[in-house]
Amino acid sequence: MKFCSLIAVVLLCCWTTRAEIFTSIGQMTDLIYTEKELVQSLREYIKAEESKLAAVKSWASKLDALTKVSTADPEGYLAHPVNAYKLMKRLNTEWSELENLVLQNPSDGFISNMSLHRQYFPDQEDETGAAKALMRLQDTYQLDSETFSKGKLPGMHSNALLTVDDCFDMGKTAYNEADYYHAVLWMQQSLKQLDAGEEAEVSKADILDYLSYSVYQMGDLPRAVELTRRLVFIDSTHQRAGANLRYFERLLSKQMHEQQQSYEPASEEPIQLGTYSRPKDHLPEREVYEALCRGEGIQMTEKRRSHLFCRYHDGNRNPRLLLKPTKEEDEWDSPHIVRYLDTLSDYEMEKIKEIAKPKLARATVRDPKTGVLTTANYRVSKSAWLEDDDDPVIARVNQRLEDISGLTVNTAELLQVANYGVGGQYEPHYDFSRRPFDSNLKVDGNRLATFLNYKDEPDAFKRLGTGNRLATFLNYMSDVEAGGATVFPDFGAAIWPRKGTSVFWYNLFKSGEGDYRTRHAACPVLVGSKWVSNKWFHERGQEFRRPCGLTEVD
């Protein structure tokens, strides 16, 4: 058990936060090794129990034979002084040893190990977060519940199945979040698998209970009535079902009367699955954003493609790039987005991950009303900020980003490292802070709607004293098997992660005005673990590196 304790101490030193484990695949990998250790500890417990039981059996067999002899002629047996002595010895010493053996609990070591690790186990927030992440992937990549339950995901060679009980728990999570759309999808899948003969702990009545009310919340009153009738038929003592049925039937009768229609009850078998539309949410460009994540609706034409080139880039004859210029590829023409190849070496990427991993914490966003950094459901990842002093690799990478971009890092933010967890994403956002909306600015209707849906935050970087975020340098530090693209809904671009490459764009025009076309998003990771690092360059110190323009749109 000393080895187990040593592992636990190492984990205690390296893993300082437990909450929101699901938001980082990098930290979730620790759970794999923790579980492996616990299985080994469990096997040791079983082995100890078997050894203990074998010793007790041996004692029982030996004493059983002895007592048969002694009880056959007690006086004759004790007549021999050795037998008398050994009886005294057995009852005074050896039976006490046997008692201690029986009372000994081999599980103590396992329980102790479990208790030590339990403080690092995922909690209910993690389970709920992971379930919601699966639903997010389901929506974004248009995967039906049955496909998901069979684990048939792009890029996966092995399938991880969801059981009836898993699907029920997914639906229950959505139900508890008042997300009745997903509650219906997963309760229906649970019911479908149960009706197909799959064994489960959950009962059909429990599924129908949640499903009928969720269907009612989705506005499908006739089907809510049918499902509740099935529930009452299965369990006539279900009080809530009886009350709901009477309420639903009154509402349906009134509805049919107002529409001058008659209601025909559906046949008893089978239960038909309903189809419902996903409710609208806070994101005005939701459909465009998710289509781009799937690789649909990309506005790359042949004419636009003809304007894209690749070249060697020496950073305007930067001495460090003259002998080994970086490879530069145009990703988009307007706004100009470029990709740099072989920006980071494998060693540098692994070193950055190693340094960042113990520092990872849930990524935050700035509340536009209060200006306070807080977590948000639309940004699911963990991040860490690394300084030059953390390791020579960090200083070397920062210098390289300065050389390539031609912008000083003296006023830039620290190197941020992010790792996306289950369904990890960052919904459409701006990297720069917005000023109060100018009604004279000429924009199209869609962009205007986007402006009006998001609050201004002119003082977001005031405390830094370095001006607004001028440019973004984004490094991809892992390949992603499926999903995880960086998309720009405003002009229909999708950029896919390629390990070791980087993309760069300006967030501001030369005039200092924000380029609202650069609103972008990190699509949910469908399969894989996405690691990125980024450098945000600020305005101050760039006056001679990127001179101001003469007009608002320069």
Side-chain angles (χ1 to χ4, degrees):
M1 299 308 293
K2 290 182 178 178
F3 174 73
C4 296
S5 300
L6 178 59
I7 292 292
V9 170
V10 171
L11 283 175
L12 181 62
C13 295
C14 295
W15 197 351
T16 57
T17 56
R18 180 194 70 164
E20 300 174 329
I21 299 170
F22 77 97
T23 62
S24 167
I25 291 293
Q27 287 189 333
M28 286 175 66
T29 56
D30 289 337
L31 296 178
I32 298 295
Y33 295 105
T34 297
E35 189 170 44
K36 179 181 179 181
E37 181 193 336
L38 289 176
V39 170
Q40 180 60 34
S41 181
L42 183 60
R43 290 190 178 280
E44 292 173 1
Y45 158 66
I46 294 171
K47 185 177 180 180
E49 281 282 11
E50 290 174 342
S51 176
K52 167 186 166 182
L53 187 59
V56 172
K57 284 182 176 179
S58 177
W59 264 89
S61 298
K62 182 177 69 173
L63 292 174
D64 186 49
L66 182 62
T67 54
K68 283 182 179 179
V69 173
S70 62
T71 55
D73 182 9
E75 290 186 5
Y77 177 80
L78 291 175
H80 197 298
V82 171
N83 287 340
Y85 164 73
K86 294 183 72 171
L87 176 63
M88 298 300 103
K89 180 182 176 182
R90 282 198 306 274
L91 292 176
N92 181 54
T93 304
E94 297 179 7
W95 272 99
S96 295
E97 293 175 354
L98 179 61
E99 181 184 24
N100 291 333
L101 176 62
V102 172
L103 293 177
Q104 178 186 342
N105 189 353
S107 68
D108 286 346
F110 173 69
I111 296 300
S112 176
N113 202 22
M114 275 285 293
S115 300
L116 191 58
H117 283 303
R118 186 175 294 280
Q119 59 185 317
Y120 306 111
F121 279 13
D123 55 17
Q124 184 59 47
E125 180 184 358
D126 285 300
E127 183 177 345
T128 299
K132 292 168 69 175
L134 293 189
M135 297 173 205
R136 181 163 56 250
L137 295 174
Q138 180 181 17
D139 294 336
T140 303
Y141 298 104
Q142 295 184 341
L143 304 170
D144 60 71
S145 301
E146 183 172 6
T147 298
F148 229 123
S149 69
K150 293 180 179 179
K152 295 181 178 179
L153 301 181
M156 294 301 293
H157 302 294
S158 60
N159 297 335
L161 305 180
L162 292 175
T163 65
V164 171
D165 296 307
D166 291 332
C167 294
F168 175 78
D169 289 337
M170 289 280 292
K172 192 174 178 181
T173 296
Y175 181 93
N176 292 335
E177 296 281 322
D179 178 4
Y180 299 109
Y181 169 73
H182 287 107
V184 170
L185 292 181
W186 287 101
M187 288 299 172
Q188 285 186 155
Q189 183 60 31
S190 181
L191 183 62
K192 183 177 180 179
Q193 291 180 211
L194 188 67
D195 285 343
E198 186 178 318
E199 294 185 0
E201 294 183 11
V202 66
S203 68
K204 191 170 186 177
D206 287 335
I207 298 174
L208 287 172
D209 187 18
Y210 281 96
L211 180 57
S212 59
Y213 188 76
S214 298
V215 164
Y216 161 69
Q217 289 290 342
M218 291 299 295
D220 190 349
L221 199 51
R223 189 157 180 270
V225 169
E226 289 301 325
L227 291 169
T228 310
R229 284 178 176 172
R230 299 293 181 91
L231 173 55
V232 172
F233 178 78
I234 294 173
D235 185 0
S236 58
T237 63
H238 201 298
Q239 294 182 350
R240 183 171 59 253
N244 284 349
L245 180 58
R246 291 188 292 274
Y247 176 66
F248 293 161
E249 286 179 332
R250 285 198 301 270
L251 289 180
L252 183 58
S253 178
K254 181 180 179 182
Q255 186 181 96
M256 293 294 102
H257 178 73
E258 291 174 350
Q259 298 175 359
Q260 297 182 341
Q261 297 177 357
S262 59
Y263 172 63
E264 295 293 336
S267 59
E268 287 299 312
E269 295 293 343
I271 295 177
Q272 298 297 318
L273 301 182
T275 303
Y276 304 98
S277 298
R278 181 180 170 193
K280 297 290 184 182
D281 62 12
H282 63 280
L283 201 59
E285 69 267 62
R286 169 71 65 186
E287 293 181 2
V288 175
Y289 154 55
E290 293 185 347
L292 289 171
C293 290
R294 297 189 298 271
E296 303 169 4
I298 298 175
Q299 302 300 311
M300 177 58 71
T301 62
E302 287 303 318
K303 181 178 180 181
R304 171 167 277 142
R305 195 185 304 278
S306 68
H307 296 157
L308 305 182
F309 299 93
C310 59
R311 64 192 72 82
Y312 283 104
H313 174 71
D314 62 8
N316 294 322
R317 301 187 66 78
N318 184 293
R320 281 179 287 271
L321 295 180
L322 279 176
L323 295 180
K324 188 180 179 181
T326 187
K327 300 172 184 176
E328 181 182 85
E329 296 177 348
D330 290 329
E331 283 281 350
W332 208 261
D333 54 350
S334 181
H336 193 205
I337 302 175
V338 297
R339 186 194 294 264
Y340 296 108
L341 278 57
D342 303 321
T343 311
L344 304 179
S345 68
D346 286 340
Y347 170 76
E348 288 170 336
M349 287 184 283
E350 293 308 310
K351 190 64 177 180
I352 290 172
K353 293 176 190 177
E354 177 188 327
I355 299 169
K357 193 171 180 180
K359 298 183 178 184
L360 289 175
R362 178 71 185 269
T364 57
V365 296
R366 192 174 300 279
D367 189 311
K369 294 182 179 179
T370 64
V372 176
L373 292 174
T374 183
T375 60
N377 291 331
Y378 57 84
R379 188 179 191 186
V380 181
S381 65
K382 283 194 172 183
S383 62
W385 299 87
L386 306 185
E387 303 184 51
D388 283 0
D389 294 342
D390 287 331
D391 192 274
V393 165
I394 307 303
R396 186 165 71 241
V397 167
N398 282 333
Q399 182 62 60
R400 188 175 307 135
L401 302 188
E402 176 176 299
D403 294 341
I404 294 173
S405 67
L407 302 173
T408 180
V409 294
N410 292 337
T411 56
E413 296 177 45
L414 300 179
L415 186 70
Q416 181 185 229
V417 179
N419 179 223
Y420 292 81
V422 182
Q425 64 159 2
Y426 192 178
E427 289 181 356
H429 61 282
Y430 302 101
D431 280 350
F432 63 92
S433 66
R434 277 82 70 203
R435 299 193 306 178
F437 177 67
D438 183 358
S439 59
N440 295 319
L441 188 62
K442 294 180 180 180
V443 295
D444 60 47
N446 289 336
R447 205 178 305 165
L448 176 60
T450 301
F451 289 164
L452 298 179
N453 272 280
Y454 287 83
K455 303 295 183 182
D456 302 311
E457 45 177 16
D459 298 327
F461 307 115
K462 186 176 181 179
R463 63 181 179 80
L464 298 178
T466 54
N468 210 341
R469 281 178 178 166
L470 175 66
T472 296
F473 207 122
L474 177 63
N475 309 303
Y476 295 115
M477 301 197 301
S478 67
D479 291 316
V480 180
E481 287 87 341
T486 304
V487 299
F488 295 78
D490 188 85
F491 50 90
I495 298 174
W496 305 96
R498 285 159 52 191
K499 186 177 180 180
T501 70
S502 308
V503 290
F504 175 87
W505 68 85
Y506 282 103
N507 298 303
L508 307 179
F509 291 111
K510 287 186 176 181
S511 63
E513 294 295 327
D515 187 348
Y516 284 87
R517 297 173 300 172
T518 60
R519 182 171 166 80
H520 61 286
C523 293
V525 176
L526 180 58
V527 178
S529 176
K530 181 181 176 183
W531 283 90
V532 299
S533 60
N534 61 272
K535 197 75 174 176
W536 281 306
F537 294 93
H538 282 245
E539 293 176 288
R540 301 295 177 264
Q542 318 296 354
E543 292 82 1
F544 296 103
R545 294 172 180 254
R546 194 197 189 216
C548 294
L550 300 178
T551 67
E552 191 174 76
V553 294
D554 279 346

